[in-house]
């Protein structure tokens, strides 16, 4: 790693790492149809099926690999933003609920929108742009004061207070057993081996993000953030860089977003699934736009999207990340149930 840094420098190495991790994530997420929204819909319908299995395998794989690496001394995430800085439990709760509502309205979370946009889905491209602009406004723009006020209601100090559990051999064994259980559940759903492998690769990509940035940070003379996959912040940074900068600043996030797009596009082209999809009568634009706004604001308030908080933050046992993803589940399930009840009522009235 020191030789690579000497030869290419930290920015290029981080951008290449982000691109590589993104390629794996994009291809694996597209093939496995990894999607938190789809998993929550199954749970809301009390049909625990293949979509839930895919999410559980991906989550368990990332959790097990990260925790075993920490336990064995090959990974240290103590300086990660999700653990080291002051966190917001009120932000995790409110932001998680808003994000969950939004991903049901938009029929996909931030990562799913990016993956589907690579196949020619114009609905997800428009929704993703709305999400990204709202996220930027929530971070530095007109919505920032509202986000800061809500986040300040209930905070938690960084360090051990933000760690859900101390990493012990018991935790490592439990994470490994969770992965085996998720794989067994996936096999019981008659999922193809390639789909299960792709789901596991989604979790592996999360681990790779943590491991590669940690390895660079460990030998660099510069301050390098230890991070993994997340989409709202990097998407906003990428868009703003394209709009404002003549030369793109190199970072892990700016390699990640095009990497994911390229990985998903490659699989869509190979499988022949790439095609233009527009808004139709049964896919109203207003629902997607509202979902994009709620996810953009919610993810910035919660400290990450369904992958940034749910997968990456969850894998390092960050308290606020687990609270956020739990509230995403609650918001999504509640929204789906209410929408289903509304559709049933309209059917009866008609």
């Amino acid at each position: 790693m020191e030789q690579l840094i000497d030869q290419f420098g930290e920015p290029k190495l981080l951008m290449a790492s982000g691109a590589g991790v993104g390629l794996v994530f994009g291809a694996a997420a597209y093939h496995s149809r990894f999607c938190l929204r789809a998993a929550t819909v199954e749970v809301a319908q009390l049909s625990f099926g293949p979509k839930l299995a895919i999410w559980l395998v991906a989550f368990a794989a990332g959790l097990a690999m990260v925790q075993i690496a920490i336990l064995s001394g090959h990974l240290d995430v103590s300086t990660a933003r999700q653990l080291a800085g002051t966190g917001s439990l009120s932000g995790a709760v409110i932001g998680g609920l808003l994000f969950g509502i939004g991903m049901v309205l938009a029929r996909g979370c931030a990562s799913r929108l990016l993956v589907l946009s690579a196949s020619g889905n114009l609905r997800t491209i428009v929704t993703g742009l709305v999400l990204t602009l709202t996220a930027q406004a929530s971070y530095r723009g007109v919505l920032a004061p509202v986000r800061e006020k809500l986040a300040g209601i209930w905070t938690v100090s960084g360090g051990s207070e933000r760690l859900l559990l101390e990493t012990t051999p018991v935790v490592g064994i439990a994470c490994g057993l969770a992965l085996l259980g998720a794989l067994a559940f996936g096999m019981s759903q008659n999922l193809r081996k390639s789909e299960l492998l792709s789901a596991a690769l989604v979790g592996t990509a999360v681990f790779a993000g943590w491991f590669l940035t940690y390895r660079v940070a460990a030998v660099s003379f510069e301050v390098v953030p230890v991070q993994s996959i997340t989409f709202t912040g990097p998407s906003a940074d990428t868009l703003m860089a394209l709009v404002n900068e003549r030369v793109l600043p190199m970072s892990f996030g700016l390699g990640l977003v095009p990497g994911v797009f390229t990985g998903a596009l490659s699989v869509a082209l190979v499988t022949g699934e790439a095609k233009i999809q527009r808004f139709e009568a049964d896919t109203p634009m207003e629902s997607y736009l509202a979902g994009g706004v709620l996810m953009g604001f919610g993810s910035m308030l919660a400290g990450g999207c369904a992958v940034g908080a749910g997968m990456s933050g969850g894998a390092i046992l960050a308290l606020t990340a687990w609270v956020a993803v739990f509230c995403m589940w609650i918001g999504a399930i509640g929204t789906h149930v209410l929408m289903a009840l509304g559709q049933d009522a309209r059917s009866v009235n008609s």
Side-chain angles (χ1 to χ4, degrees), residues 40-334:
T40 61
V41 168
E42 282 192 344
V43 174
Q45 296 172 342
L46 301 179
S47 59
F48 308 116
K51 295 179 176 62
L52 175 61
I54 289 293
W55 190 86
L56 288 175
V57 169
F59 180 83
L63 177 64
M65 295 182 74
V66 168
Q67 288 303 311
I68 291 172
I70 293 173
L71 180 62
S72 62
H74 291 93
L75 177 63
D76 181 1
V77 294
S78 60
T79 62
R81 172 184 59 84
Q82 293 93 328
L83 293 176
T86 300
S88 171
L89 287 171
S90 57
V93 172
I94 300 170
L97 289 171
L98 292 176
F99 190 95
I101 295 169
M103 71 179 180
V104 171
L105 294 176
R107 300 189 180 184
C109 66
S111 65
R112 188 63 178 162
L113 295 179
L114 178 58
V115 168
L116 287 180
S117 67
S119 67
N121 191 319
L122 301 181
R123 300 190 299 268
T124 60
I125 292 175
V126 172
T127 308
L129 286 172
V130 172
L131 186 158
T132 301
L133 291 171
T134 305
Q136 184 66 18
S138 304
Y139 182 49
R140 289 195 177 100
V142 67
L143 296 177
V146 180
R147 174 185 60 79
E148 292 168 356
K149 188 173 184 63
L150 292 174
I153 295 174
W154 185 11
T155 61
V156 57
S157 301
S160 60
E161 290 190 31
R162 288 192 72 179
L163 187 61
L164 188 66
L165 292 169
E166 293 288 347
T167 300
T168 65
V170 174
V171 174
I173 293 171
C175 292
L177 292 175
L179 176 56
L180 292 176
L183 287 170
F185 177 51
M187 288 187 285
S188 72
Q189 299 300 313
N190 296 319
L191 288 166
R192 291 178 294 168
K193 291 181 180 179
S194 63
E195 292 174 324
L196 284 173
L197 175 60
S198 294
L201 282 174
V202 170
T204 302
V206 169
F207 162 73
W210 285 120
F211 183 75
L212 289 172
T213 56
Y214 163 70
R215 290 293 298 153
V216 174
V219 297
S220 175
F221 290 108
E222 305 294 332
V223 177
V224 174
V226 179
Q227 60 187 306
S228 188
I229 301 174
T230 187
F231 288 101
T232 313
S235 295
D237 291 341
T238 301
L239 180 61
M240 292 301 104
L242 290 172
V243 172
N244 295 323
E245 304 292 339
R246 290 177 177 267
V247 179
L248 290 179
M250 295 184 181
S251 66
F252 181 85
L254 261 71
L256 176 69
V257 173
V260 171
F261 186 91
T262 303
L265 175 61
S266 300
V267 177
L269 291 173
V270 168
T271 58
E273 296 178 359
K275 62 178 181 179
I276 299 297
Q277 298 181 58
R278 301 176 177 85
F279 288 101
E280 306 289 348
D282 61 338
T283 55
M285 178 182 281
E286 57 271 23
S287 176
Y288 282 80
L289 297 183
V293 170
L294 289 173
M295 283 193 290
F297 182 77
S299 60
M300 282 299 177
L301 180 58
C305 61
V307 173
M311 295 284 292
S312 296
I316 62 173
L317 299 179
L319 171 63
T320 49
W322 279 71
V323 171
V325 74
F326 174 77
C327 291
M328 289 176 190
W329 277 85
I330 297 300
I333 291 171

